[in-house]
Amino acid sequence: MTSVVSSPRLDVPSFYCPFPYAISPEADDVDRATVKWMDDFGLFRSPEQRQYLAAQRIGHCAALALPHGRGEGLRLAADYVFWLFTFDDMYCDERVHEMSLDAFVQFVSKLTRIVEAPTARILTDDPWAEGLRDIRLRMERTATPVQLARWVEEQRKYLFGLIWETANRLEGRIPPVDDYVTMWLNASACGASVMFVDISAGYEVSADDMADSRVRALTEMANAIIAWDNDLISFNKESYRQHRYGYPQIQNLVSVLTSDGTSVEAASAEAVRMRDRVMTLFLKVADEVRADASPELDRYVYGLGEWIRGYLAWAMSTGRYLDPRNPTDRIAADPVSMPGTWKERASDDRLDPLPLPAITWWWDQLGTR
């Protein structure tokens, strides 16, 4: 029996991503450890949801995105990615009406304080707050002080971005494209996630290298590509759930591009052109940076590309996006089809800036040295 729900669907495109497949040899062990970590903190609200999360192989997401990660650094990254997904499910996209905007701001402000000062005994009865506290405390033992400070700042930006996203959902508001692109760099949490590139592999990129405007641009470009790829892959699931369960307005690049009456098909094609043009720029700037980079910076820049490829490899194979239903829903739904091949060329390989003022500075980095 198929679902009676009729919702807009797109054909998930093939992706241009010229980075080779790679996965950490610790993938299976990390995935098991991450499920145990979820159980230890009780990061689920029903047995069905626990099984739903355990089957998504989120540890493999980290192992694919960070193929050179090892030991506690990789386990920490996997637990953080797991925390992001379950926190998103419980507090953000689909349950936003369970908490007023004021209450959500208060809650997120306390989470921010836990990230800043994890020994502050606040929200001690909330499993997600305690899970985040555990990650933050382990970061002190695993990361260098410089790496810890970077991650804390990116986590602050993520929590700040959630307030913007929640306000939009509560108001049923679709933001302009430039606003969406700007704030999604924060609210997607990709910034905090890619900070594990060097942490998980046991080396540190210097503060001077990370402050280089070209490296900052590359980091933001990687964040944007990962976030936009997620939007293309998750659109069918989000659209299905909005129509079947009455969830709030989708905050997704495709839905933003359809807000002026553009069809889903045309919006999807435009989103692909956007990410391909940024990918083209990323590759050019990355080559320039790596030409005279330190060994650590070279590894980091290449690692950003591995994050993009690894996330895609996981996202196109996980039940999180293949099956759009809630875990307790017994009505069958057509599975989401994923592409079986990779695209060999970018659909748009121009080096002209996208007409989005918030990110045009990325193109200024070409040929700066």
Side-chain angles (χ1 to χ4, degrees):
M1 177 179 179
T2 58
S3 169
V4 297
V5 174
S6 177
S7 57
R9 282 177 79 95
L10 62 81
D11 292 329
V12 179
S14 295
F15 290 91
Y16 171 61
C17 189
F19 302 101
Y21 175 92
I23 188 169
S24 169
E26 299 178 17
D28 290 339
D29 290 341
V30 167
D31 194 59
R32 284 190 291 268
T34 296
V35 172
K36 182 180 184 302
W37 183 80
M38 171 190 69
D39 288 336
D40 289 344
F41 283 90
L43 300 179
F44 49 86
R45 291 185 176 171
S46 70
E48 292 85 359
Q49 191 195 32
R50 188 262 174 206
Q51 288 303 112
Y52 170 76
L53 291 165
Q56 291 175 5
R57 296 167 69 83
I58 295 174
H60 277 244
C61 177
L64 286 159
L66 302 163
H68 306 291
R70 298 292 187 273
E72 173 62 5
L74 182 59
R75 288 192 296 272
L76 186 55
D79 291 348
Y80 177 66
V81 172
F82 200 110
W83 183 89
L84 287 172
F85 282 123
T86 183
F87 183 76
D88 188 65
D89 289 349
M90 291 300 98
Y91 285 101
C92 302
D93 292 0
E94 299 167 359
R95 296 177 181 267
V96 66
H97 289 299
E98 294 182 3
M99 190 180 290
S100 70
L101 181 59
D102 178 71
F104 187 73
V105 170
Q106 298 297 322
F107 178 61
V108 167
S109 298
K110 291 177 181 178
L111 290 179
T112 303
R113 188 55 184 160
I114 289 173
V115 171
E116 295 167 341
T119 57
R121 303 308 297 168
I122 52 179
L123 296 179
T124 56
D125 59 346
D126 184 278
W128 284 269
E130 287 297 279
L132 182 61
R133 191 191 316 276
D134 176 71
I135 289 168
R136 171 62 176 79
L137 288 169
R138 289 160 60 198
M139 286 285 286
E140 290 188 5
R141 301 190 295 270
T142 305
T144 68
V146 169
Q147 290 170 327
L148 176 61
R150 290 174 188 155
W151 180 83
V152 166
E153 178 59 21
E154 292 297 333
Q155 182 68 6
R156 280 198 199 101
K157 289 161 64 175
Y158 161 63
L159 293 170
F160 165 69
L162 289 183
I163 296 172
W164 165 84
E165 183 184 19
T166 299
N168 282 342
R169 290 186 188 277
L170 288 171
E171 294 295 325
R173 179 171 53 231
I174 296 294
V177 177
D178 194 53
D179 287 359
Y180 180 80
V181 167
T182 302
M183 293 305 297
W184 201 227
L185 288 171
N186 294 333
S188 68
C190 293
S193 299
V194 302
M195 289 299 100
F196 285 98
V197 169
D198 59 349
I199 294 171
S200 69
Y203 67 96
E204 179 194 292
V205 181
S206 74
D208 286 346
D209 279 342
M210 286 294 279
D212 185 317
S213 62
R214 301 172 304 164
V215 178
R216 291 193 297 108
L218 285 169
T219 302
E220 284 197 1
M221 282 186 253
N223 295 350
I225 293 169
I226 296 164
W228 298 352
D229 288 351
N230 173 262
D231 284 353
L232 286 160
I233 288 171
S234 67
F235 177 84
N236 290 326
K237 170 191 170 182
E238 293 177 13
S239 176
Y240 176 93
R241 291 185 172 208
Q242 182 188 21
H243 283 74
R244 173 152 180 78
Y245 309 121
Y247 289 151
Q249 181 67 55
I250 299 171
Q251 299 288 301
N252 181 295
L253 181 59
V254 176
S255 64
V256 168
L257 292 170
T258 62
S259 62
D260 63 356
T262 300
S263 68
V264 168
E265 294 77 11
S268 170
E270 177 60 20
V272 171
R273 285 191 291 271
M274 288 172 61
R275 64 87 63 194
D276 280 3
R277 199 186 300 189
V278 174
M279 176 67 85
T280 300
L281 176 66
F282 178 90
L283 294 170
K284 293 283 188 182
V285 176
D287 283 346
E288 292 181 3
V289 170
R290 296 182 68 198
D292 61 359
S294 67
E296 293 79 13
L297 180 58
D298 182 73
R299 291 178 70 182
Y300 174 76
V301 171
Y302 189 77
L304 293 175
E306 290 180 318
W307 233 114
I308 298 168
R309 172 60 186 253
Y311 174 76
L312 282 172
W314 174 78
M316 291 189 293
S317 63
T318 177
R320 185 173 184 85
Y321 303 119
L322 295 173
D323 185 348
R325 298 172 302 166
N326 275 344
T328 56
D329 196 336
R330 301 307 178 195
I331 295 179
D334 294 331
V336 175
S337 297
M338 295 292 175
T341 59
W342 297 87
K343 194 164 57 177
E344 293 185 2
R345 296 181 181 84
S347 60
D348 186 342
D349 61 1
R350 289 174 291 169
L351 287 173
D352 305 316
L354 288 170
L356 300 169
I359 61 173
T360 53
W361 76 275
W362 295 346
W363 281 264
D364 296 338
Q365 307 313 309
L366 276 172
T368 54
R369 286 192 188 176

